[in-house]
Amino acid sequence: MKPTETKDPEFYHRVVDCQYACPAHTPVPEYIRLIAARQYTEAYMVNWESNVFPGILGRTCDRPCEPACRRGRLSEQEEAVAICRLKRVAADHKGDIRQFMPKVPREKNGKKVALIGAGPASLTVVRDLAPLGYELDMFDEQAAGGGFMRSQIPAFRLPEEVLEEELGYILDMGVSSHFNHRVTSLRYILECDYDAVFVGSGAPRGRDLPDLPGRQPGAGNIHIGIDWLASVAFGHIRSIGPGVLVLGGGNTAMDCCRTSRRIGGDNVKVVVRSPFKDMKASAWEKDDAMAEDIPIIDNHVPLSFVVENGKLVGMTFDRVEAFYDAAGKRTLVSTGEAPVLFECTDVIIAIGQENAFPWIERDLDISFDQWDMPKIDPVTFQSTNPRVFFGGDAAFGPENIITAVAHGHQAAVSINLLCSGKPVAERPPPRVTLVSQKMGMHEWIYDSPVSDDKRFAVPHASKEKALQDRLLEVELGFDATQAFYEAQRCLNCDAQTVFTETRCIECDACVDVCPTDCLTFAVNDEENALRPRLTMAANNREQPLYVSAELPTRRVMVKDENICLHCGLCAERCPTAAWDMQKFLYNVSLAELS
Amino acid sequence: MTYLRPAFAHPDLPRNELGYTRKDYESALSTLCAGCGHDSISAAVVQACHETSIEPHKVAKVSGIGCSSKTPTYFLGNSHGFNSVHGRMPSVATGAAAANRELTYIGVSGDGDSASIGIGQFAHAVRRNVNMLYLVENNGCYGLTKGQDSATAEVGSRSKAGSVNQLAPIDLVSMALELGAGFVARSFSGDKAQLVPLIKAAIAHRGFALIDVISPCVTFNNNPGSTKSYDYVREHMNTTGHFDFVPMHQEITAQYPPGSSKEVTLHDGSSVHLHKLDDTIDPLDRRSALHALQEYKASGKILTGLIFMDEDSQDMHQVMNTCNKPLNQLTQSDLCPGNRVLQDINDSLR
């Protein structure tokens, strides 16, 4: 193998599994260390700059970082660091952050941008462009900003004051918000004198089961999940019947069933087509639903709505079994048993949502693909009309908040490049620093000892109380002590093991001391030949090998990055400081640097 | 100061026949200087004991005084240990081996401990053919007292402070051969591929087994001009041949060209395979071994690997015809068999 090109920032970035997995590439270990040091305000600002909504995301994020967390790979019993809930700690315990907010210039730069939708993607664009002096007009059909963070995430998961606070930081940046204003024509917007238009209108259409028998006669008690959640959030719906069936296996279904439990649903069931393990909902969302006495009935495909005397009384389902072919593709096959009837008073359909752009005229040079989705560049978020950018669910279909934020940042970079007359494809490089953490013999700036603690559970409000009040937040968040111990579980994967081959005397000290057998002095070879013959075979091919240049004995140092604990023992046992622990800080470049 | 070893290990760590991983043979984190060769030797002992599935509670580690003699703290944390007096490890090991023949004895010593203050003890342990692995962690200097030349330093070797050694060195390997040792090897801490199988074979060998391991002192004797630095040893190292240890129940997998390899079966049924690199050396012949040592020394090379082995070696228990049971398992009736036995003895002498 060739020596690893560590000058390429993506190599060390990849080693920081959580940050690499995060769509917005938030420097996770950096803010976790700040939390352990009780510097909550600083921890919040590291987050805020990267993901804009730390308090909201600390409660609601889909957490792509946690399945990626190295700790989860260490043993079968070991779980990821509670990254998401630590983020919330920073938000809950922070001090006054107004002083750290970017200043919005009174004098504008003369460029105007329209933003369609006031959800996380558009708000991120505002956060990035307002401090640069852009004049921003934001339109949304709802009465207040936040998009699906407000309309679809129930208050018992995301209290309104948390939402309002973090929206406030953005809306106070001088954006002109036009709420209760539905944009019905993109042509009209384009004809106004905007330099660029950002479409962050989400995926607003909930899927229905229009052809199922009984759908029309039972319509009065059959609801579309996302619309129903929005109606509850805005106070238009205040109750539901006692028997509720929720169709669907995603997070929206979990929010619907738990909301139902709080506004009159005594007997709430989730019925899902797929096997339990294939459900799209996050594991913790399923756990929380089941903890509120909501059974999840899997392998049941809806057959019909049963309506008697003009009133919905139940649904019938076909029992199925899942079969998987060699490629893992699933087919659901009926067991042939008689249909099952579940009685109910209401049905909520939460089986997915779709994009819909009836308000975009098709002669505006914006190309649409075969699924009627706009063709968007995945890096610049530009449509085929160079002035129009898309982000969030509007760009590539339903995702999540953190993805919308990541889109918003990149779209803002593109808009700033466009308005500066530069090519949007020339992206600013990431901001990267690599700094030695050595303080002395066996002393590092970060806490190198590896904690043995198991993952701490976040305390919950009692079920009795929580089910009484739709607005009462169920999760209470870590207190400062729990947060400290959970933060100490972080392995500091951004403290990189940096090897300088010219200093190495090949004494084997690092190989001998490494607690997880990551290191090998080996005769060089192709990667496929090298991987199986290291100290421990490097079987996780998703994790890179770090290979040095040739050493005096004609061997190379090979490090399998897979389960390095970043404990620093290799560097502590190295007599010549050929190994060093260096903190790698990686920040995605925002519009201000483009 | 961290000195804390994380509890985590590689999740795929192999388990031996006893169900133990290598982690179960480790011990406290070393407090020796970073880069000390001794730590590599400790790691080699851990690897050898794990791979041969030795039960940790059936091993006794014995040592004297010095950097080398601290190392038993850093391997086999679940074994017995005795950190004895300077140069007196052989006596303690002899006594322990005499009292309980069922344990595996690993004596750890250094060049100061064995070639200076303990040289008389060393000689008699060899002579008595105590059933033990005797590891000399040889760095040519007194590392614990700031690097003065030791009795194994070569003439002309330059210390870190700049002084050149004038006194002739003691070669423990030649000495052990002269004194009749049944297993003699030399190795290098930086070459685990050679050292680990040597340790396995030395443990399997019945009788006294010496491995003189050149183990650079990174702090005081790893400078240019030293003949025991990492660089010097790597440049001057020659080996008798590739060496492989095969436990009794394992199949032989290594393939060597015919004629150049030798297979020796040990008393427990395991075997060693030697693929010779120098046809003039016969490691089963003591005179050939002594001659080869002299030849290599004269040409300024360091001969490593298995130097001599006598598979029919008779250890102390066989020579002295001691009882088969460990002393702590003897019962009252074994020790005091009664009047009838006394009468029998008396009758036999009439």
Side-chain angles (χ1 to χ4, degrees):
Chain A
M1 290 178 76
K2 288 198 178 119
T4 302
E5 190 46 81
T6 55
K7 290 238 161 49
D8 174 1
E10 291 308 313
F11 179 79
Y12 286 138
H13 185 198
R14 202 174 150 193
V15 174
V16 193
D17 292 296
C18 47
Q19 184 177 11
Y20 192 68
C22 175
H25 303 305
T26 301
V28 174
E30 176 76 358
Y31 79 72
I32 288 184
R33 274 192 301 274
L34 288 167
I35 290 168
R38 304 196 175 210
Q39 290 177 263
Y40 304 115
T41 308
E42 289 80 356
Y44 184 87
M45 290 313 295
V46 167
N47 268 291
W48 188 83
E49 190 190 340
S50 168
N51 57 44
V52 195
F53 307 107
I56 296 171
L57 287 164
R59 291 165 166 87
T60 63
C61 190
D62 272 358
R63 346 175 176 171
C65 51
E66 292 190 17
C69 175
R70 169 159 298 151
R71 233 181 137 104
R73 295 199 293 273
L74 294 183
S75 77
E76 275 174 26
Q77 302 82 36
E78 195 59 33
E79 287 181 86
V81 176
I83 299 169
C84 179
R85 270 34 180 182
L86 284 172
K87 189 194 306 289
R88 173 180 169 174
V89 171
D92 285 356
H93 295 249
K94 69 181 183 300
D96 182 15
I97 58 156
R98 295 256 163 199
Q99 54 185 322
F100 301 113
M101 287 288 164
K103 301 284 174 287
V104 176
R106 207 166 287 171
E107 203 163 304
K108 299 297 170 190
N109 68 1
K111 304 288 182 185
K112 279 184 76 175
V113 178
L115 305 136
I116 322 284
S122 291
L123 292 166
T124 303
V125 176
V126 173
R127 178 244 170 270
D128 287 355
L129 294 185
L132 304 182
Y134 282 82
E135 213 175 307
L136 303 164
D137 284 336
M138 185 162 66
F139 303 92
D140 197 290
E141 62 176 328
Q142 290 182 357
F148 76 90
M149 300 190 293
R150 180 185 295 275
S151 63
Q152 289 175 34
I153 299 177
F156 58 84
R157 285 213 290 131
L158 175 59
E160 198 176 344
E161 59 270 21
V162 176
L163 180 69
E164 296 296 356
E165 179 195 333
E166 292 191 333
L167 291 184
Y169 297 134
I170 310 293
L171 297 177
D172 289 353
M173 287 182 164
V175 57
S176 308
S177 309
H178 307 275
F179 295 131
N180 292 317
H181 184 127
R182 186 186 178 93
V183 173
T184 52
S185 162
L186 183 59
R187 184 193 310 282
Y188 174 77
I189 298 282
L190 285 173
E191 280 167 3
C192 302
D193 58 343
Y194 292 113
D195 296 278
V197 176
F198 177 77
V199 179
S201 54
R205 183 182 288 169
R207 287 222 182 95
D208 198 351
L209 295 166
D211 303 328
L212 222 55
R215 175 69 181 87
Q216 285 316 314
N221 291 84
I222 301 171
H223 318 278
I224 302 296
I226 58 171
D227 299 339
W228 183 79
L229 285 172
S231 300
V232 174
F234 287 103
H236 306 315
I237 288 178
R238 292 172 192 276
S239 67
I240 195 162
V244 182
L245 292 182
V246 176
L247 307 183
N251 286 339
T252 304
M254 299 303 115
D255 285 338
C256 288
C257 67
R258 294 179 70 195
T259 302
S260 301
R261 281 289 276 139
R262 286 161 171 76
I263 59 170
D266 296 326
N267 179 8
V268 181
K269 290 187 189 73
V270 173
V271 189
V272 56
R273 292 159 50 93
S274 67
F276 184 83
K277 66 174 174 56
D278 291 356
M279 287 171 64
K280 285 210 175 103
S282 310
W284 53 90
E285 304 271 347
K286 293 193 275 191
D287 291 344
D288 286 348
M290 291 187 290
E292 292 177 357
D293 311 322
I294 300 166
I296 296 177
I297 299 160
D298 63 351
N299 295 320
H300 279 63
V301 172
L303 286 178
S304 69
F305 298 95
V306 181
V307 182
E308 286 175 9
N309 305 325
K311 199 160 170 54
L312 182 75
V313 294
M315 276 192 81
T316 58
F317 295 88
D318 185 25
R319 276 175 275 193
V320 295
E321 211 176 324
F323 292 94
Y324 303 84
D325 68 9
K329 193 175 171 337
R330 189 186 70 202
T331 38
L332 298 175
V333 179
S334 172
T335 61
E337 295 165 272
V340 190
L341 171 74
F342 290 125
E343 292 180 0
C344 67
T345 54
D346 291 85
V347 170
I348 303 173
I349 304 174
I351 55 171
Q353 56 196 88
E354 299 169 321
N355 293 64
F357 301 103
W359 53 279
I360 298 181
E361 294 83 352
R362 300 303 151 111
D363 57 352
L364 302 175
D365 294 332
I366 299 174
S367 304
F368 282 78
D369 64 16
Q370 62 201 73
W371 298 283
D372 209 28
M373 288 288 286
K375 287 184 182 167
I376 310 297
D377 183 299
V379 175
T380 65
F381 294 89
Q382 198 172 35
S383 71
T384 48
N385 179 333
R387 275 168 67 208
V388 181
F389 298 83
F390 285 70
D393 290 357
F396 305 112
E399 280 287 346
N400 49 36
I401 304 174
I402 190 67
T403 305
V405 169
H407 291 181
H409 280 314
Q410 291 308 312
V413 168
S414 300
I415 292 170
N416 192 40
L417 288 168
L418 179 82
C419 293
S420 319
K422 296 178 194 161
V424 293
E426 284 177 22
R427 316 301 290 178
R431 294 161 287 159
V432 173
T433 57
L434 188 64
V435 179
S436 176
Q437 299 296 287
K438 198 171 179 70
M439 286 210 298
M441 297 280 282
H442 301 261
E443 279 181 296
W444 305 100
I445 295 173
Y446 71 105
D447 285 342
S448 61
V450 177
S451 161
D452 294 338
D453 286 335
K454 297 284 172 227
R455 181 177 169 128
F456 291 84
V458 180
H460 280 49
S462 76
K463 187 170 76 184
E464 291 68 34
K465 267 192 185 168
L467 291 180
Q468 294 295 316
D469 183 358
R470 179 177 70 83
L471 302 177
L472 181 78
E473 187 172 21
V474 175
E475 284 198 13
L476 304 176
F478 286 129
D479 64 27
T481 309
Q482 289 166 322
F484 171 77
Y485 285 111
E486 184 60 35
Q488 289 297 86
R489 293 182 70 240
C490 175
L491 296 172
N492 301 288
C493 296
D494 61 343
Q496 304 283 351
T497 52
V498 178
F499 185 70
T500 311
E501 45 269 334
T502 50
R503 293 206 185 114
C504 179
I505 59 168
E506 301 175 64
C507 67
D508 271 359
C510 52
V511 178
D512 292 336
V513 82
C514 178
T516 45
D517 296 295
C518 303
L519 306 175
T520 314
F521 286 107
V523 176
N524 205 352
D525 210 331
E526 290 303 312
E527 179 166 355
N528 287 339
L530 210 47
R531 277 185 174 267
R533 63 177 177 86
L534 300 180
T535 308
M536 282 301 296
N539 295 327
N540 184 353
R541 293 192 166 256
E542 286 171 15
Q543 292 286 320
L545 297 183
Y546 175 10
V547 181
S548 77
E550 198 168 82
L551 295 160
T553 59
R554 316 213 57 185
R555 298 178 298 174
V556 287
M557 161 52 66
V558 187
K559 181 189 173 210
D560 177 10
E561 294 285 0
N562 184 21
I563 52 162
C564 169
L565 301 173
H566 297 261
C567 62
L569 283 176
C570 52
E572 289 186 20
R573 296 306 296 168
C574 182
T576 56
W579 285 109
D580 191 23
M581 305 306 290
Q582 299 189 5
K583 184 171 93 177
F584 175 75
L585 195 55
Y586 178 105
N587 276 293
V588 172
S589 271
L590 304 183
E592 66 207 55
L593 291 165
S594 62
Chain B
M1 306 282 268
T2 50
Y3 288 121
L4 295 172
R5 194 196 288 277
F8 292 105
H10 197 291
D12 303 336
L13 216 52
R15 293 186 177 274
N16 64 12
E17 285 163 27
L18 304 171
Y20 295 138
T21 67
R22 195 160 59 230
K23 201 91 178 160
D24 297 315
Y25 291 82
E26 288 179 349
S27 186
L29 207 56
S30 170
T31 57
L32 298 175
C33 305
C36 180
H38 297 1
D39 288 333
S40 291
I41 301 171
S42 299
V45 173
V46 166
Q47 191 184 334
C49 290
H50 171 252
E51 288 176 1
T52 46
S53 299
I54 291 177
E55 291 173 279
H57 70 280
K58 290 201 172 159
V59 176
K61 310 169 286 183
V62 202
S63 66
I65 294 295
C67 297
S68 60
S69 297
K70 289 177 73 177
T71 63
T73 309
Y74 314 133
F75 60 84
L76 302 185
N78 296 312
S79 299
H80 307 280
F82 196 122
N83 190 188
S84 73
V85 189
H86 204 0
R88 270 61 185 165
M89 178 273 278
S91 294
V92 176
T94 306
N100 188 343
R101 60 191 295 170
E102 288 187 352
L103 299 185
T104 296
Y105 292 93
I106 301 177
V108 181
S109 185
D111 39 329
D113 200 53
S114 279
S116 290
I117 188 168
I119 194 159
Q121 299 249 326
F122 169 76
H124 286 282
V126 179
R127 193 181 137 258
R128 291 193 176 111
N129 208 4
V130 180
N131 186 12
M132 68 183 296
L133 160 62
Y134 196 111
L135 276 171
V136 177
E137 305 189 343
N138 185 352
N139 58 16
C141 73
Y142 298 138
L144 214 52
T145 55
K146 300 199 175 177
Q148 299 84 350
D149 293 326
S150 80
T152 63
E154 266 86 13
V155 173
S157 181
R158 186 181 291 274
S159 76
K160 188 181 184 184
S163 64
V164 176
N165 179 45
Q166 309 289 348
L167 300 176
I170 291 170
D171 179 10
L172 292 171
V173 167
S174 305
M175 199 174 147
L177 278 171
E178 283 289 353
L179 291 164
F183 184 107
V184 181
R186 175 172 283 144
S187 192
F188 171 45
S189 68
D191 187 359
K192 278 206 202 70
Q194 183 191 60
L195 180 56
V196 171
L198 281 176
I199 292 174
K200 290 179 188 173
I203 289 175
H205 173 80
R206 182 166 51 189
F208 188 89
L210 171 73
I211 309 179
D212 176 32
V213 191
I214 302 170
S215 173
C217 173
V218 271
T219 304
F220 293 112
N221 206 8
N222 196 35
N223 47 288
S226 160
T227 58
K228 289 203 166 41
S229 67
Y230 280 105
D231 287 348
Y232 184 91
V233 177
R234 283 206 176 96
E235 277 163 29
H236 294 79
M237 199 169 130
N238 283 261
T239 174
T240 55
H242 296 305
F243 184 81
D244 209 1
F245 175 78
V246 184
M248 180 177 59
H249 42 273
Q250 265 180 28
E251 236 179 293
I252 298 153
T253 51
Q255 294 285 324
Y256 294 123
S260 66
S261 72
K262 257 197 171 28
E263 183 187 329
V264 182
T265 306
L266 301 181
H267 74 282
D268 66 353
S270 55
S271 57
V272 296
H273 295 257
L274 185 71
H275 172 61
K276 289 199 286 180
L277 291 178
D278 182 344
D279 272 343
T280 64
I281 309 172
D282 180 3
L284 300 181
D285 178 46
R286 195 180 296 272
R287 276 171 301 181
S288 162
L290 275 167
H291 179 72
L293 275 176
Q294 296 296 331
E295 286 292 312
Y296 276 84
K297 195 176 174 184
S299 59
K301 294 178 194 160
I302 305 166
L303 184 63
T304 66
L306 178 69
I307 289 168
F308 173 71
M309 180 171 168
D310 172 8
E311 71 266 43
D312 299 321
S313 170
Q314 300 282 301
D315 85 327
M316 179 174 72
H317 289 288
Q318 292 169 289
V319 173
M320 313 285 282
N321 196 22
T322 59
C323 74
N324 290 325
K325 272 190 184 175
L327 302 188
N328 61 4
Q329 291 172 20
L330 295 178
T331 60
Q332 177 78 17
S333 59
D334 291 327
L335 293 168
C336 189
N339 194 40
R340 194 178 53 79
V341 177
L342 181 63
Q343 289 303 326
D344 288 349
I345 294 171
N346 285 342
D347 290 346
S348 73
L349 298 171
R350 284 183 210 281

